[in-house]
Amino acid sequence: MNIMNETIFQCTNLCKSYGKTQALKNLTLSLSRGRIVGLLGPNGSGKTTLIKIANGLLTPTSGSILINNLPVGIDSKKIVSYLPDCISLPEWMKISELINFYSSFYKDFDIDKSYQMLKNLNIDENARFKTLSKGNKEKVQLILVMSRTADLYLLDEPMGGVDPATRDYILNTIISNYSENSTVIISTHLISDVEKILDEVLFINNGEIIMQDTVDNIRDKEGKSIDTLFREVFKC
């Protein structure tokens, strides 16, 4: 079997409720290896909830997620690299200490790759995290995530609140550092910035997947960009 056709991420009838509010509604989808997938939807559509469940930070109300045929748990976390939607690293640590921490925690962490990316950005490994600008903090957090050789990368709003030059660096880092056998899920509402690197898109709204297709198919069938289609679907 061609590894590129293997399912790496599968949701079946996934639901998440907070009282009477349904964040995810019977969500079912399947993603193969070797894809960069855009999880696209307006704020409050369920993107972060889905990613947090996949990373084991939330428990579904019902339904299931399988990652490489594994239920979410200790074994699945070994093959998932997660970028949260906010800066979450200890402010007092030096960059080199953060790298050592990740290296000790994740067996698939590539120290040489992380230091090379720091060098490319002229970020001092001896600087404390709290002394960095917001943009450089975002970059360091992304470097740590992308220095792992993971099967699945879950990136929640990786470009939120940073300048266009930093966005370009983030996109180039994603393209350059993920394995062809891995899949990257990028949650974002900045469609025009990210669509140039996407293979596939998921439109999500009110906790439901309303469209899943490849970027090429959408452009062929609709004759328009993903950003334009997104604005039409969500009336942006």
Side-chain angles (χ1 to χ4, degrees), residues 18 41 92 103 159 215 219:
Y18 299 95
W92 56 270
S103 176
M159 298 177 296
V215 170
R219 288 173 179 157

PDB file of all heavy atoms in Angstrom, residues 18 41 92 103 159 215 219:
ATOM      1  N   TYR A  18     -20.969  22.074  25.406  1.00  0.00           N
ATOM      2  CA  TYR A  18     -20.774  22.799  26.660  1.00  0.00           C
ATOM      3  C   TYR A  18     -22.170  23.212  27.120  1.00  0.00           C
ATOM      4  O   TYR A  18     -22.694  24.245  26.681  1.00  0.00           O
ATOM      5  CB  TYR A  18     -19.896  24.027  26.453  1.00  0.00           C
ATOM      6  CG  TYR A  18     -18.506  23.702  25.950  1.00  0.00           C
ATOM      7  CD1 TYR A  18     -18.216  23.739  24.584  1.00  0.00           C
ATOM      8  CD2 TYR A  18     -17.488  23.371  26.840  1.00  0.00           C
ATOM      9  CE1 TYR A  18     -16.944  23.462  24.125  1.00  0.00           C
ATOM     10  CE2 TYR A  18     -16.216  23.085  26.386  1.00  0.00           C
ATOM     11  CZ  TYR A  18     -15.952  23.129  25.032  1.00  0.00           C
ATOM     12  OH  TYR A  18     -14.687  22.847  24.571  1.00  0.00           O
ATOM     13  N   GLY A  41     -12.421  28.409   8.833  1.00  0.00           N
ATOM     14  CA  GLY A  41     -13.747  28.791   9.297  1.00  0.00           C
ATOM     15  C   GLY A  41     -13.664  30.070  10.094  1.00  0.00           C
ATOM     16  O   GLY A  41     -12.587  30.473  10.548  1.00  0.00           O
ATOM     17  N   TRP A  92      10.665  32.548  31.563  1.00  0.00           N
ATOM     18  CA  TRP A  92      11.957  32.708  32.245  1.00  0.00           C
ATOM     19  C   TRP A  92      13.064  31.859  31.624  1.00  0.00           C
ATOM     20  O   TRP A  92      14.248  32.083  31.881  1.00  0.00           O
ATOM     21  CB  TRP A  92      11.814  32.345  33.726  1.00  0.00           C
ATOM     22  CG  TRP A  92      11.282  30.961  33.948  1.00  0.00           C
ATOM     23  CD1 TRP A  92       9.983  30.602  34.063  1.00  0.00           C
ATOM     24  CD2 TRP A  92      12.036  29.747  34.056  1.00  0.00           C
ATOM     25  NE1 TRP A  92       9.860  29.245  34.246  1.00  0.00           N
ATOM     26  CE2 TRP A  92      11.102  28.687  34.244  1.00  0.00           C
ATOM     27  CE3 TRP A  92      13.398  29.445  34.026  1.00  0.00           C
ATOM     28  CZ2 TRP A  92      11.506  27.367  34.387  1.00  0.00           C
ATOM     29  CZ3 TRP A  92      13.793  28.119  34.177  1.00  0.00           C
ATOM     30  CH2 TRP A  92      12.854  27.095  34.344  1.00  0.00           C
ATOM     31  N   SER A 103      13.844  18.408  23.656  1.00  0.00           N
ATOM     32  CA  SER A 103      14.657  17.257  23.261  1.00  0.00           C
ATOM     33  C   SER A 103      14.537  16.123  24.271  1.00  0.00           C
ATOM     34  O   SER A 103      14.496  14.942  23.896  1.00  0.00           O
ATOM     35  CB  SER A 103      16.114  17.674  23.110  1.00  0.00           C
ATOM     36  OG  SER A 103      16.927  16.573  22.811  1.00  0.00           O
ATOM     37  N   MET A 159      -0.354  32.033  12.466  1.00  0.00           N
ATOM     38  CA  MET A 159       0.017  33.361  11.970  1.00  0.00           C
ATOM     39  C   MET A 159      -0.792  34.478  12.605  1.00  0.00           C
ATOM     40  O   MET A 159      -0.747  35.617  12.152  1.00  0.00           O
ATOM     41  CB  MET A 159      -0.153  33.405  10.450  1.00  0.00           C
ATOM     42  CG  MET A 159       0.742  32.420   9.732  1.00  0.00           C
ATOM     43  SD  MET A 159       0.462  32.411   7.960  1.00  0.00           S
ATOM     44  CE  MET A 159      -1.228  31.818   7.893  1.00  0.00           C
ATOM     45  N   VAL A 215      -7.517  21.590  -3.101  1.00  0.00           N
ATOM     46  CA  VAL A 215      -7.423  22.952  -3.619  1.00  0.00           C
ATOM     47  C   VAL A 215      -7.556  22.950  -5.143  1.00  0.00           C
ATOM     48  O   VAL A 215      -8.246  23.802  -5.724  1.00  0.00           O
ATOM     49  CB  VAL A 215      -6.093  23.590  -3.173  1.00  0.00           C
ATOM     50  CG1 VAL A 215      -5.849  24.911  -3.906  1.00  0.00           C
ATOM     51  CG2 VAL A 215      -6.091  23.818  -1.667  1.00  0.00           C
ATOM     52  N   ARG A 219     -10.451  24.958  -7.384  1.00  0.00           N
ATOM     53  CA  ARG A 219     -10.122  25.962  -8.400  1.00  0.00           C
ATOM     54  C   ARG A 219     -10.650  25.564  -9.769  1.00  0.00           C
ATOM     55  O   ARG A 219     -11.120  26.406 -10.538  1.00  0.00           O
ATOM     56  CB  ARG A 219      -8.605  26.168  -8.434  1.00  0.00           C
ATOM     57  CG  ARG A 219      -8.080  26.922  -7.213  1.00  0.00           C
ATOM     58  CD  ARG A 219      -6.578  26.965  -7.172  1.00  0.00           C
ATOM     59  NE  ARG A 219      -6.102  27.723  -6.010  1.00  0.00           N
ATOM     60  CZ  ARG A 219      -4.895  27.581  -5.475  1.00  0.00           C
ATOM     61  NH1 ARG A 219      -4.042  26.717  -5.996  1.00  0.00           N
ATOM     62  NH2 ARG A 219      -4.547  28.308  -4.429  1.00  0.00           N
TER      63      ARG A 219
END
